[in-house]
């Protein structure tokens, strides 16, 4: 059985296959830098970069991963708005080493979520929402979601990461309908975040 068929047996989409390929490389090398992980996918796509930088925030790993990856996502989103096709990340982010154990944990938590999204995507639906101009506009919601991920809100990463996963997979598969669903999730995420921030502020004011 070829590697491609093996991955299709595990999950039908492009995203999960690429993540598994990256994980196998990390296993062989004992870990990867963020730059190496992205370069391992060949010509790095904007969609895969969004996905890769979003999913660590879904994983219960100790450390300021939300701030690090959220900041990196914000930089990528600005490049999307500018119409960039190649991703630039500062050396401090690109050179950050991630162990195989950490990557294994991230992929293990992310693949089931991504696979569920991949089950509903269909390439070519509503092509009007899959072109380069729409992709540039998507940099705005990606930036807002990146800011939410970077904020130290308890349990505040689930909705923004889910929204980014939906948008990234929709871009990879060129499914305009799922792109619209991702935008609706983004709107809900921003609304919930504003409500949480208001609640936290009110609690702090009451406490003092």
């Amino acid at each position: 059985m070829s590697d491609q068929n093996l991955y299709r047996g595990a999950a039908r989409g492009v995203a999960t296959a690429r993540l598994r390929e990256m994980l196998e490389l990390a296993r062989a090398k004992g870990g990867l830098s963020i730059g190496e992980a992205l370069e391992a996918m060949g010509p790095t796509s904007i969609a895969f970069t969004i996905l890769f930088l979003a999913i660590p925030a879904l994983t219960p790993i100790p450390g300021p991963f939300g701030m690090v990856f959220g900041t990196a996502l914000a930089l990528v989103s600005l490049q999307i708005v500018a119409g960039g096709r190649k991703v630039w990340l500062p050396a401090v982010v690109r050179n950050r080493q991630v162990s195989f154990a950490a990557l294994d944990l991230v992929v293990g938590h992310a693949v089931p979520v991504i696979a569920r999204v991949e089950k509903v995507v269909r390439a070519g639906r509503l092509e009007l929402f899959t072109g380069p101009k729409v992709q540039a506009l998507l940099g705005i919601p990606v930036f807002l979601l990146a800011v939410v991920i970077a904020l130290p809100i308890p349990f505040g990463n689930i909705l923004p990461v889910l929204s980014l996963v939906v948008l990234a997979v929709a871009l990879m598969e060129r499914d305009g309908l799922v792109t619209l669903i991702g935008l609706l999730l983004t709107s809900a995420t921003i609304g919930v975040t504003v409500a949480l921030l208001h609640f936290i502020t009110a609690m702090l004011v009451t406490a003092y």
Side-chain angles (χ1 to χ4, degrees):
M1 180 182 292
S2 69
D3 287 346
Q4 186 176 10
N5 288 334
L6 177 63
Y7 292 134
R8 283 179 179 173
R12 65 186 293 274
V14 173
T16 44
R18 289 188 178 182
L19 285 172
R20 292 177 188 279
E21 289 169 0
M22 179 200 68
L23 189 60
E24 287 304 311
L25 179 62
R27 186 196 304 274
K29 299 184 67 173
L32 295 172
S33 69
I34 291 175
E36 287 173 332
L38 294 175
E39 289 166 6
M41 301 304 105
T44 303
S45 70
I46 290 289
F48 185 80
T49 303
I50 293 171
L51 183 70
F52 179 78
L53 294 176
I55 57 178
L58 193 63
T59 312
I61 300 177
F65 275 81
M67 182 174 295
V68 171
F69 287 95
T71 301
L73 266 171
L75 289 174
V76 170
S77 70
L78 295 177
Q79 295 170 57
I80 296 172
V81 172
R85 294 300 182 91
K86 293 184 178 180
V87 176
W88 175 87
L89 291 173
V92 67
V93 176
R94 290 192 64 86
N95 296 334
R96 187 180 181 93
Q97 292 291 319
V98 185
S99 69
F100 167 72
L103 286 171
D104 188 34
L105 185 63
V106 168
V107 172
H109 275 79
V111 162
V113 177
I114 297 168
R116 288 189 180 94
V117 178
E118 289 175 330
K119 286 179 181 178
V120 301
V121 296
R122 297 290 183 273
R125 286 192 299 194
L126 296 181
E127 291 183 355
L128 179 65
F129 296 100
T130 62
K133 291 183 179 179
V134 172
Q135 290 186 34
L137 291 175
L138 286 178
I140 298 171
V142 171
F143 177 80
L144 295 174
L145 293 168
V147 171
V148 174
I149 288 175
L151 292 173
I153 301 175
F155 307 105
N157 287 340
I158 296 175
L159 276 177
V161 172
L162 178 59
S163 301
L164 286 166
V165 166
V166 171
L167 288 173
V169 173
L171 286 174
M172 287 181 192
E173 304 286 356
R174 298 186 178 279
D175 187 333
L177 178 60
V178 176
T179 299
L180 290 177
I181 293 171
L183 290 174
L184 289 174
L185 280 172
T186 299
S187 299
T189 298
I190 301 303
V192 169
T193 301
V194 170
L196 281 174
L197 288 174
H198 178 74
F199 175 75
I200 292 171
T201 301
M203 291 289 290
L204 290 174
V205 170
T206 303
Y208 292 98

